[in-house]
Amino acid sequence: MAIDNATDPAAPPGLRERKKQRTRNTLIRCALELFTAKGYEATTVDEIAAAADVSQRTFFRYFANKEEVALSLQAVEEEYALAALLARPAAEGPLTAVRNGATASWGPIRRAIAEVVPVTLHLRMQRVIESTPQLLAARLRRLGALEERLAAELARREGLDPALDPRPRVLVAACCGVMRAAARVWSEDENAGLDDLVELMTRHLDQLAPALADDWRTGR
Amino acid sequence: MAIDNATDPAAPPGLRERKKQRTRNTLIRCALELFTAKGYEATTVDEIAAAADVSQRTFFRYFANKEEVALSLQAVEEEYALAALLARPAAEGPLTAVRNGATASWGPIRRAIAEVVPVTLHLRMQRVIESTPQLLAARLRRLGALEERLAAELARREGLDPALDPRPRVLVAACCGVMRAAARVWSEDENAGLDDLVELMTRHLDQLAPALADDWRTGR
DNA sequence: GAGATTATGGCAGCCGCTGACAATTGACAA
DNA sequence: TTGTCAATTGTCAGCGGCTGCCATAATCTC
């Protein structure tokens, strides 16, 4: 029996598969360029399809809707974020693992993104997402789903039943909420780069414990 | 000069204003009944308009889109939540104020909702929102906007510059994240009531500090 | 009650999105 | 190489969300 590309993911991809991947990347790049140039809502799916030289129907075979192409690189980020937590040594405590996972994920994320589009385009797109209500909403929902997966992993690490102990959920929810707040602040500065985002997030995470103290005056 | 309804909000509403309010409430009630009966996506704006006995065009004069009518009661909740924080005495610390504001808001919220639709309908709708991707996304975005307002109020209470000190944002983000996690868990139990939701939220909030401890074993 | 204001309905039309069918292209084996 | 099968694509028709436009009808003001 010859190599079965359908079942063996390690097999070298055939022409068909490579072509599909190329079409998909082209669609993403064209879409992000149009979105960042003239805005998300002002960009038509027909325009994206035309720019990528496929029919509108084909676009919808690659992406379920216009949102999905806009957030396709965020989906990549999410996978790497989860993988980063899975890679933390078991010796690390929950909070430390979440924190170290977050900081360690940015390198791989940057490289993976760069394979598809220029990183600067992706950064500009982040701001479009943050300032487009529909996109921001969809992004927050995805982050919610990611939270669930992170919490499940945390519960597994600590040997807890996620249905009973709320601490994994609580910790993840708190950290993700804080990081989102950092991202919101970051997106308001047009010139901030990826490193600035990472630094802002860690600074915000460091404020978590102090912020929970019920008297903010004692600390200073 | 007679009473000027356009500029004096305290003036008794005329026939026109009362009729508008009635139409709006009817639209909300019809929409929620249809959404809970046959699902959000399966319900057409034409059907809602027909049930409320207005034209589709009129529906869109009351609500910017189908999402808005689905989340109109959540918008009410948000206003009361903010008002509850504003009403906390200045002596309370930030965390205490957030916590007490949250618990104190539920009474007024329940009463305000009951003026428009039966509370059970609203509770059923909460679960539809939680299980409908598009609605959940929109709700999370609104909560994000609420977070900003809450953080701004917290900064004002403590006399801080919200642009400089991240603690208001961090505290609000953490608490809101935790409460959202509670709401997600709650919505999975078909028979849980409003009181159960409140109790679950406070239980989750109480877990915030323990969850941040980096060793979960010491505590038990 | 006349005239100004405002709410409503009907219509045409754009855009996001989907199902169905036919045509094309790549994969695999005889 | 060629024939067959499966996957990919384009075209077309159509639905639902949503908007601008204009005419009509209901309220409000004097």
Side-chain angles (χ1 to χ4, degrees), chain B:
Chain B
M1 185 172 97
I3 300 165
D4 188 337
N5 281 327
T7 56
D8 183 358
L15 170 59
R16 191 172 249 163
E17 204 56 38
R18 274 180 288 137
K19 214 168 172 180
K20 261 172 65 179
Q21 197 55 51
R22 198 150 43 88
T23 303
R24 192 184 141 86
N25 287 352
T26 304
L27 278 170
I28 294 176
R29 188 164 27 79
C30 293
L32 263 46
E33 266 156 13
L34 285 166
F35 291 157
T36 53
K38 44 184 284 190
Y40 174 74
E41 285 156 13
T43 302
T44 291
V45 173
D46 282 308
E47 292 172 330
I48 302 170
D53 204 40
V54 297
S55 73
Q56 189 223 46
R57 193 65 186 85
T58 294
F59 172 91
F60 282 112
R61 288 202 177 92
Y62 279 87
F63 302 97
N65 45 50
K66 207 169 84 164
E67 273 175 24
E68 195 172 302
V69 68
L71 298 176
S72 52
L73 297 186
Q74 266 67 29
V76 172
E77 289 191 2
E78 291 158 20
E79 293 314 310
Y80 278 87
L82 180 61
L85 179 61
L86 285 167
R88 298 316 302 171
E92 289 184 346
L95 180 57
T96 309
V98 167
R99 195 201 141 98
N100 289 349
T103 56
S105 64
W106 288 107
I109 286 177
R110 179 181 211 121
R111 280 191 291 279
I113 297 289
E115 302 241 325
V116 185
V117 298
V119 177
T120 60
L121 178 59
H122 177 235
L123 289 183
R124 268 183 288 143
M125 190 61 204
Q126 299 249 58
R127 293 184 177 94
V128 173
I129 293 169
E130 208 77 29
S131 60
T132 304
Q134 192 190 149
L135 287 183
L136 180 57
R139 168 139 178 79
L140 292 177
R141 180 177 55 81
R142 300 185 74 115
L143 285 181
L146 175 63
E147 272 185 42
E148 286 190 59
R149 296 165 72 191
L150 291 172
E153 164 60 14
L154 224 48
R156 196 195 58 73
R157 277 172 65 98
E158 301 290 324
L160 301 170
D161 181 349
L164 291 178
D165 197 320
R167 287 178 298 176
R169 284 193 302 276
V170 168
L171 175 60
V172 169
C175 291
C176 288
V178 169
M179 289 196 281
R180 281 206 314 96
R184 197 161 56 213
V185 173
W186 171 84
S187 73
E188 282 164 14
D189 181 354
E190 289 294 328
N191 302 111
L194 192 52
D195 300 329
D196 300 310
L197 175 58
V198 176
E199 196 238 326
L200 199 61
M201 281 194 177
T202 56
R203 267 231 319 276
H204 270 67
L205 275 180
D206 289 335
Q207 290 293 321
L208 191 46
L212 286 175
D214 207 22
D215 185 353
W216 289 351
R217 270 163 280 259
T218 55
R220 335 207 115 186

Side-chain angles (χ1 to χ4, degrees), chain A residues 138-159:
Chain A
R139 168 141 178 78
L140 293 178
R141 179 176 56 82
R142 302 184 72 114
L143 285 181
L146 175 62
E147 272 186 41
E148 287 190 56
R149 297 165 73 191
L150 291 172
E153 165 59 14
L154 223 48
R156 195 194 59 72
R157 278 173 65 99
E158 301 289 324

